[in-house]
Amino acid sequence: MTHTKAGRLIPAGLLVLSAVPVIAGAIRAAELAGGAAITPDNARFVAAPAPVLLHIAGVTVYSVLGAFQFAPGFRRRRPAWHRAAGRVLVPAGLVAALAGLWMTLFSDLPAGDAGLLTVFRLAAGSAMAGSLVLGFAAILRRDVARHRAWMIRAYALAMGAGTQAVVLSAWYAATGADPHAATRALLHGLAWGINLAVAEWAIRRRPPVSRSVGRISRSAG
């Protein structure tokens, strides 16, 4: 596979994976806006719609716009676009992560979401927010290598919902049954683990970018 094909397939694959949270979020937002009947499944969202809508908006912008940051050719041709998109992605990602944390901490969660799954969600949301802050701090220091690494980790965590849909679908196809609460939590954790493993592989497979290169790139843009 050539670098050109890879540069096209990676963002395309990420857009496909991001379709899961984007479509689910759009359905949820339409439900809240349309005054849908209150059910046990949506009661907590109807009771506090603001963090839900903020989370949906943040995830949608972050996952879709962020996919194009993984197209190296596009970044090289349009360095100004890359920086402008980054100024949108960092706040969008923080909104998504912090709103998700708020819902995990303060919403009336279903019984199956309590316990281990709550721990995983708190860890993933906190790690995503922390990665974004560290990535932003790194680029302010012109440390491109660390900026790239932390931003990849943040995006990997944000894409957890897409990978969780794949993992849970695989479980259902293999067993024909819905997983119990503890198994479901472990499958969610596995999905985040897969994403982080891929992120670390991507970070390490390319030669490190020196800080001097970062300075040259910034001045050239």
Side-chain angles (χ1 to χ4, degrees), residues 138-154:
I139 203 60
L140 291 180
R141 301 191 305 270
R142 310 290 177 87
D143 190 342
V144 175
R146 285 190 174 87
H147 167 74
R148 174 178 172 272
W150 284 116
M151 289 305 181
I152 290 175
R153 292 176 183 122

Side-chain angles (χ1 to χ4, degrees), residues 22-178:
V22 169
I23 294 173
I27 293 172
R28 181 69 69 188
E31 181 183 50
L32 292 174
I38 299 177
T39 67
D41 180 58
N42 68 10
R44 65 189 187 278
F45 302 125
V46 175
V52 182
L53 295 174
L54 284 171
H55 181 71
I56 291 170
V59 165
T60 300
V61 172
Y62 187 76
S63 59
V64 174
L65 187 60
F68 293 96
Q69 301 288 62
F70 291 86
F74 187 72
R75 289 202 314 269
R76 285 193 299 269
R77 290 192 301 271
R78 300 177 182 274
W81 183 93
H82 174 72
R83 292 194 294 272
R87 296 186 183 101
V88 175
L89 286 168
V90 171
L94 286 173
V95 166
L98 295 176
L101 288 170
W102 192 98
M103 289 188 292
T104 302
L105 288 170
F106 301 111
S107 293
D108 186 13
L109 298 175
D113 285 11
L116 184 58
L117 183 53
T118 294
V119 173
F120 282 148
R121 284 174 172 167
L122 291 175
S126 300
M128 178 183 167
S131 295
L132 286 166
V133 171
L134 289 170
F136 181 70
I139 203 60
L140 291 180
R141 301 191 305 270
R142 310 290 177 87
D143 190 342
V144 175
R146 285 190 174 87
H147 167 74
R148 174 178 172 272
W150 284 116
M151 289 305 181
I152 290 175
R153 292 176 183 122
Y155 192 81
L157 289 163
M159 297 301 288
T163 308
Q164 285 157 10
V166 174
V167 170
L168 289 168
S169 296
W171 169 273
Y172 186 80
T175 66
D178 292 327

